[in-house]
Every structure is written in C-alpha cells, then in structure tokens.
Amino acid sequence: MSEITLPGLVDVHTHLRVPGGEHKEDFATGTAAALAGGFTTLLAMPNTTPPLTTPQVMEEAFQQAQADTRCELGLFAGASPEQIGQLPALAPYAVGLKIYLNDTFGPLRVEDLPTLTSCFQSWPQEKIIAMHAEKQSVAIGIGLAATFNRPVHFCHISRRQEIELIDFAKRRGLPVTCEVSPHHLYLTQADAVRLGPLGDMRPLLGTQDDVDALWDHINDTIDCIATDHAPHTLEEKRAASPPPGVPGLETSLPLMLTAVQQGRLALSRLIELMSTNPRRIFNLPEQPDTRVDVDMLPYRINSNTLLTKCGWTPFDGMEVIGQVRRVQLRGEIVYEKGLSIAPPGSGQMLS
Ligand code: NCD
Ligand code: ZN
C-alpha cells in the first residue's frame, strides 16, 4: 500500500481566529492548512474576539469567511448568558451552537441553568448543539440531551470516566455523540512535562489509562476524530501565562494513518471517523468529485513546512506514515505537493 485515496475529510472542531486573532490564523491560512491535511470541510469555533454571539459579529465573520475560505466551511454560534435572546437570529449563519461548560481559551462560558435551558428551548431543533464538557459536566450534557430529546455532540473527550459515561448513555439509546482529538490519543501528562506550553491545551493531556480507554473505544463509542486545531503564536506560547491550545490540521491524518499502519485502526474505520460520521452527525453536504491522494511512506513531521500561520506543532520531529500529495475538491485540484492552489473564496459556506 504505497498510495491510497480517501474521501474529503471533515474537521468538526477548528479555531480559525477571525475576528480578533488574525495574527494566529485567518480563514485563508487555516483553510490552506486544512487542505494540506486532507480536510475539505471545516467547522469553525465561536471563541473569537469578540465571540460569535451577536448577529452582527456572526454575519461579519460569515462574510469574511465567504471571501477567504479555500474549502467548505461552517461556523458555530456561541452561547453566552448576555446574548441568549439572540440565538434564533444567529442560526441562519451557523451549522450548530457551541456551549462551553468548562474553562478554556477566551471568556465564552455558560455557568447557569436558565441559560442552558434557553439554549435547548430556543436553538433550532434541526441544528446540533456541541458542548465543551469535562468530567461531571458530561453528565449535565447527557441529562439535557435526554430531557429535551435532542442531539448533543461532546467535543474533545479525553478521559476514561467521560468516554465510559458516554458509552453508557449510548447504550441507553440517548442521542449523544462525541469526538476525540489525536493529541489525546498520542500524548500523556509525561509529554506535557516534556513539551511545556507546547503541550498545554484544554482538556489537559491525560494519563496513560485515559489514553488506553480512548483507544479501547475507537471502534464503538467514539464517533469522530476532530483536530481541535487551536493555533497560537510561538511568542504567545513562550510568554508568561501562555494560552492553551495546539494546532492539528496538518498532523491529524498522518497520526491516524500511522495507527492504521500499526494495525490499531482499520482504514475503513478511519474514513468513518474522519468523513462519514461527521457528515452524518452535522448534516453536511457530500462533495462530488472530491478525493485526497496520500503517499503511504514514512516521513518526519516538520514545523517548517506547515501552512498554518502559527508554524509549529507539538509533534515536530515525529516519524509518521501518510503524507497528503494531492487534494481534488469538486473537480478542481486545490492542493498539490505542499502548495495550496485553491484561491481564497473558492470554498463554499455552509449554514
Ligand atoms: C482552544 C483555543 O485555543 O481556542 N484551546 C484549547 O486548549 N483547546 C479552545 C478549546 O477548544 O477549548
Ligand atoms: Zn477547541
């Protein structure tokens, strides 16, 4: 197997930093990195500055994205107690609603029950609710999914206690799904010590036991692999109080293909986790004449060749298998041999 062809991959959890963080990433650079990583559809998170919680900010971000994106792109609206009445007005520009129950980069947080209840009552039924929920917060999300009988998607699940609770919930037939990020499958607390701020993200890296539990559920409970591409500049990461988050768009596919090569994951399952399931769960359109050609040869991940504006990765120097050679999107070659060919604005917005 020296070359394989995959369908266009979907990342349901990317931070593209517009508005307010364009020095870290923007729609044009982030979607170039996406194509380099084999992704032809991205869903971008709302924890921008200001966050995507008002119709005006949401509409402006949507228009900027339309002008700049090189692949299919959808935006999440953000839930905030102050703007909760605006939710229906945000929906036309959004593929889903993101609710942050736990601390992470940026001030977006929902900490009171009335706001949570409003989200479930006023967000359109056909658009999914995604949650950043850790530890016992996962139980809150499951309870709301059951109470309101509507789907909840859990972002970047990272601990044994969480994946096992979601497994129970799914066995009870509750409408919950979840994603796991490759850094939580490949790195532990020991790597966090070695990497310092370059290994700091939310959720934090777990124990070996947490990592083992995630791999144990790769063929059942886990629905999607999502990058949680969270670029910050090296300068910011090396300053006092560095922000949490690591980039992932260009390393996620090679890391998962390395697992395929090692016999830890079937290639057909990788396609479900990175393309079929995300499309189904988030109700995203198929992309005709779209394919990702990958060379299945070993190479070392190299920060200097990345297209993300932040220009670094916690996986620098790691030997992996699977390098994207060419990406075709809706019949056009959009990426080839390290070069992003698709012009900004050639991608389509999803809503
Ligand atoms: C993310 C970011 O930088 O926006 N950081 C992170 O550590 N994952 C926020 C998030 O996804 O929680
Ligand atoms: Zn994130």
Side-chain angles (χ1 to χ4, degrees):
M1 180 163 71
S2 65
E3 187 192 320
I4 59 169
T5 297
L6 300 171
L9 305 180
V10 179
D11 185 24
V12 299
H13 191 144
T14 312
H15 299 267
L16 295 179
R17 307 305 191 196
V18 180
E22 291 86 350
H23 61 290
K24 303 172 195 272
E25 197 79 282
D26 59 44
F27 291 125
T29 58
T31 54
L35 294 174
F39 295 99
T40 54
T41 301
L42 296 185
L43 301 186
M45 288 293 160
N47 62 332
T48 48
T49 316
L52 306 187
T53 55
T54 65
Q56 193 194 336
V57 176
M58 189 91 210
E59 187 181 346
E60 281 171 16
F62 189 93
Q63 280 164 2
Q64 190 68 53
Q66 199 153 44
D68 288 346
T69 188
R70 304 175 196 262
C71 66
E72 269 60 303
L73 174 60
L75 306 177
F76 278 99
S80 81
E82 299 78 25
Q83 308 294 345
I84 204 67
Q86 310 262 30
L87 284 185
L90 301 178
Y93 302 101
V95 290
L97 176 68
K98 175 77 182 278
I99 306 178
Y100 289 88
L101 296 184
N102 293 95
D103 280 357
T104 187
F105 179 65
L108 262 190
R109 214 81 71 235
V110 175
E111 287 172 326
D112 66 294
L113 188 53
T115 301
L116 270 178
T117 309
S118 298
C119 289
F120 278 74
Q121 287 172 326
S122 67
W123 185 248
Q125 180 73 28
E126 69 281 2
K127 297 202 181 199
I128 200 162
I129 293 179
M131 277 192 187
H132 177 151
E134 300 187 36
K135 300 182 183 175
Q136 65 267 39
S137 298
V138 174
I140 297 175
I142 293 172
L144 289 163
T147 305
F148 290 93
N149 190 27
R150 60 178 298 170
V152 169
H153 177 79
F154 291 101
C155 300
H156 43 47
I157 287 300
S158 65
R159 297 178 180 88
R160 174 180 290 279
Q161 51 180 285
E162 298 160 357
I163 197 70
E164 290 186 345
L165 186 66
I166 292 170
D167 188 53
F168 279 130
K170 286 185 157 201
R171 284 170 198 275
R172 300 286 301 229
L174 297 176
V176 295
T177 54
C178 71
E179 71 194 34
V180 166
S181 301
H183 46 260
H184 291 125
L185 289 167
Y186 274 88
L187 302 173
T188 66
Q189 292 167 352
D191 297 294
V193 173
R194 171 178 64 85
L195 290 162
L198 302 191
D200 179 35
M201 77 292 286
R202 300 295 174 275
L204 292 166
L205 293 173
T207 63
Q208 188 60 49
D209 184 58
D210 290 320
V211 171
D212 292 344
L214 296 180
W215 280 108
D216 284 347
H217 286 284
I218 198 89
N219 288 317
D220 48 37
T221 317
I222 297 172
D223 296 283
C224 310
I225 297 296
T227 70
D228 191 14
H229 178 79
H232 298 287
T233 66
L234 273 177
E235 198 181 359
E236 290 165 336
K237 283 298 235 181
R238 287 175 178 151
S241 329
V246 300
L249 279 170
E250 291 161 271
T251 50
S252 291
L253 176 62
L255 287 168
M256 298 316 290
L257 283 172
T258 302
V260 170
Q261 186 76 15
Q262 293 167 344
R264 306 177 86 184
L265 181 68
L267 184 60
S268 58
R269 182 65 182 156
L270 180 149
I271 292 169
E272 285 172 7
L273 292 166
M274 301 186 78
S275 184
T276 327
N277 290 353
R279 273 185 216 283
R280 189 191 67 246
I281 293 165
F282 289 84
N283 199 14
L284 305 172
E286 293 295 330
Q287 297 169 295
D289 296 323
T290 296
R291 53 186 276 169
V292 178
D293 298 326
V294 183
D295 287 327
M296 289 299 280
L297 299 169
Y299 72 101
R300 280 188 194 284
I301 292 175
N302 180 352
S303 294
N304 298 322
T305 62
L306 300 175
L307 299 188
T308 172
K309 200 181 275 189
C310 76
W312 62 275
T313 162
F315 296 102
D316 187 52
M318 182 172 168
E319 187 169 298
V320 288
I321 298 229
Q323 189 159 37
V324 175
R325 176 147 49 87
R326 185 189 307 110
V327 180
Q328 177 177 313
L329 172 57
R330 284 177 277 100
E332 304 285 334
I333 304 296
V334 288
Y335 172 87
E336 192 157 27
K337 292 187 188 142
L339 291 178
S340 161
I341 298 162
S346 57
Q348 295 178 355
M349 290 304 292
L350 310 170
S351 59

